[in-house]
Amino acid sequence: MKRCLWCKQKAVIYMREHRLALCKDCYPKWFLRMTERTIKEWRMIEPSDKVLVAVSGGKDSLGLWFALTQLGYEADGLYLDLGISPGGYSERSKEFAMQLSERIQRPLHIVKVADEMGKPVPDLAFASNREPCSACGAVKRYLFNKFAVENGYTVIATGHNLDDEAATLLGNVLRWQIGYLARQAPVLPERVLGVGGEQGRLVKRIKPFVRFTEKQVALFTILNRIPYIEQECPFAVGAASLFYKDLLNKIEERSPGTKWAFYSQFVEQIQPLLDEKFPEPELRPCTRCGMPTTAEVCSVCRIKERANKLVAEVKS
Ligand code: AMP
Ligand code: FES
Ligand code: ZN
């Protein structure tokens, strides 16, 4: 068994890509230091910012909320109740988010998708012509932004980790999705729109855990005794992203450090070039809801309209 490089106690983790073994006491300190470094390097949070953490009840976002408060950031939580009932998925996730809110004494806002959209995520996903997780992702991003704008938050933090980001990158590269590639970064700056009033804003989005693998985040969360939902979203079964994660883990096994090299080199060298060459079209207010979009009607209003049409068809 390896010994901790810092204090020589028994190590609980050996990170081959860093050639670093750490014990249960030193690992959380290293993890917080790395988080702070990522935040500073990417200028993710300024002192005047009001931070909203999107908390799903999973290990990443709960770990992130905890880490941010440990680092002294006064971040509040937002839990979206997606209305996914198999296995009590949404109810149980919410319980975990509420438990952490109690422990760290920070407010948790709870928004029900069904109240905002008229229908829960399974109905919206079923009605849309996209994969369930993709429709759900669009709805989540829309509601995070809407809530942040309406409540004066200037930064939205999500728990995406290196495995998530590298898998998304691989998926986008395999299909050369230039538009998505041009905007895949750990920080997406605020975007304001000339017309459209207060709604016309995309709040800055940050991913402070992009430096960590899924396993590293899980260990941080577990060592801090934060209970979290282990069940995957029932709709994620068979999702391409899980397959890509598996592939990347196999590559990493053979060649440690590849996952980070793949992602970080893209972000540092390729993404800025793409962003410059393929700037996002001007944002304008959605003609239905007023939220910023590049189309006439935003993707979430389109999903909503399809869902309503489907219900009307079923009833008639
Ligand atoms: P996912 O899209 O499920 O991989 O989640 C990525 C990130 O989005 C999580 O780390 C959270 O920060 C956020 N998130 C996902 N689901 C929810 C939810 N139901 N409520 C609030 N935030 C969420
Ligand atoms: Fe939204 Fe899975 S479909 S979390
Ligand atoms: Zn809209």
Side-chain angles (χ1 to χ4, degrees), residues 286 289 298 301:
C286 164
C289 70
C298 77
C301 282

Side-chain angles (χ1 to χ4, degrees), residues 62 112 128 158 220 267:
L62 290 176
K112 258 186 135 150
S128 88
T158 54
F220 175 77
V267 163

Side-chain angles (χ1 to χ4, degrees), residues 126-144:
F126 174 65
S128 88
N129 52 358
R130 304 181 178 199
E131 293 229 343
C133 290
S134 144
C136 174
V139 170
K140 285 193 279 200
R141 284 191 296 276
Y142 177 94
L143 291 178
F144 295 157

Side-chain angles (χ1 to χ4, degrees), residues 142 286-291 293 297-302:
Y142 177 94
C286 164
T287 51
R288 304 280 194 278
C289 70
M291 293 283 274
T293 174
V297 178
C298 77
S299 64
V300 170
C301 282
R302 284 201 304 256

Side-chain angles (χ1 to χ4, degrees), residues 80 82 84 89 121-142 144 160 164 168 180 231-243 245 299-300 303:
L80 291 184
L82 308 173
I84 297 178
Y89 181 75
V121 158
D123 293 10
L124 293 170
F126 174 65
S128 88
N129 52 358
R130 304 181 178 199
E131 293 229 343
C133 290
S134 144
C136 174
V139 170
K140 285 193 279 200
R141 284 191 296 276
Y142 177 94
F144 295 157
H160 293 94
D164 298 325
T168 304
Y180 290 145
Q231 184 191 346
E232 284 277 357
C233 160
F235 295 119
V237 179
S241 58
L242 295 182
F243 175 63
K245 281 183 185 178
S299 64
V300 170
I303 292 174

Side-chain angles (χ1 to χ4, degrees), residues 87-129:
Y89 181 75
S90 285
E91 269 315 299
R92 291 179 47 232
S93 323
K94 183 168 75 188
E95 290 296 322
F96 289 119
M98 284 163 57
Q99 270 182 35
L100 183 64
S101 156
E102 185 78 37
R103 172 165 162 197
I104 59 177
Q105 291 289 295
R106 295 297 315 169
L108 175 71
H109 306 284
I110 298 176
V111 169
K112 258 186 135 150
V113 172
D115 291 346
E116 292 284 325
M117 298 280 140
K119 291 186 180 49
V121 158
D123 293 10
L124 293 170
F126 174 65
S128 88
N129 52 358

